[in-house]
Amino acid sequence: MLFPPPGLEPLATVTVDLAPPLDFGPGPDGHHRTVPITGGTVDGPALSGRVLPGGADWQRVLPDGTVFVEARYTLELSGALVGLVSTGVRTGPPEVLAALARGEDVDPAEYYFRVTLRATTADARYRWLTTSVLIGRAERTANQVRYDLHRLL
């Protein structure tokens, strides 16, 4: 091993409010749907603000229930706009994924939901986000996705 494992700097808990999915149906590479983002909050030691309405999570669902996500949305942090692109995967035992698909609350320890995020902003106060590796551990509820956002050190 060349280096010790990197540490994590906790930035915030992000709660993303969701509308019902728009279902595109099955395609050759999985079932496609889009989940509109209606708002949310950002609350933590390094960042606080809100998730603006208007983004969406474009999803590809495999036959086993695994979901690949790619969400694009905007944060407002102290008047600054920060765009986020979040990509990740949610997977787990079939019965757990089926319960999530039905909108049931499931203990996040029962499934794997991880995201990586890329930020963009013109505001100098948050430019450090654009040159950081950002990751999150997430959970899905009936109407929200929540994740703890960290900066990889």
Side-chain angles (χ1 to χ4, degrees):
M1 183 183 287
L2 292 175
F3 303 102
L8 297 175
E9 177 186 0
L11 301 180
T13 296
V14 180
T15 302
V16 180
D17 299 329
L18 305 170
L22 305 171
D23 196 327
F24 286 72
D29 61 341
H31 194 106
H32 291 262
R33 64 186 181 201
T34 301
V35 183
I37 293 171
T38 61
T41 59
V42 180
D43 184 33
L47 304 172
S48 63
R50 63 188 184 120
V51 176
L52 297 180
D57 181 2
W58 294 78
Q59 300 181 344
R60 183 168 56 100
V61 185
L62 300 182
D64 71 355
T66 295
V67 179
F68 293 101
V69 301
E70 182 175 339
R72 293 176 180 264
Y73 51 101
T74 304
L75 307 180
E76 183 180 46
L77 308 173
S78 303
L81 296 179
V82 177
L84 287 181
V85 177
S86 172
T87 59
V89 62
R90 185 175 73 225
T91 194
E95 64 278 4
V96 170
L97 297 179
L100 288 169
R102 291 188 300 270
E104 297 175 16
D105 287 335
V106 177
D107 181 346
E110 298 294 319
Y111 57 97
Y112 181 89
F113 189 5
R114 305 292 188 272
V115 293
T116 61
L117 301 102
R118 192 169 25 101
T120 184
T121 186
D123 193 293
R125 294 173 294 169
Y126 298 103
R127 188 117 349 113
W128 60 273
L129 288 169
T130 70
T131 56
S132 296
V133 175
L134 304 172
I135 61 171
R137 180 175 180 170
E139 73 172 325
R140 177 70 156 97
T141 65
N143 300 310
Q144 294 179 326
V145 166
R146 281 194 307 248
Y147 62 90
D148 289 327
L149 179 63
H150 292 85
R151 178 176 175 254
L152 205 57
L153 299 174

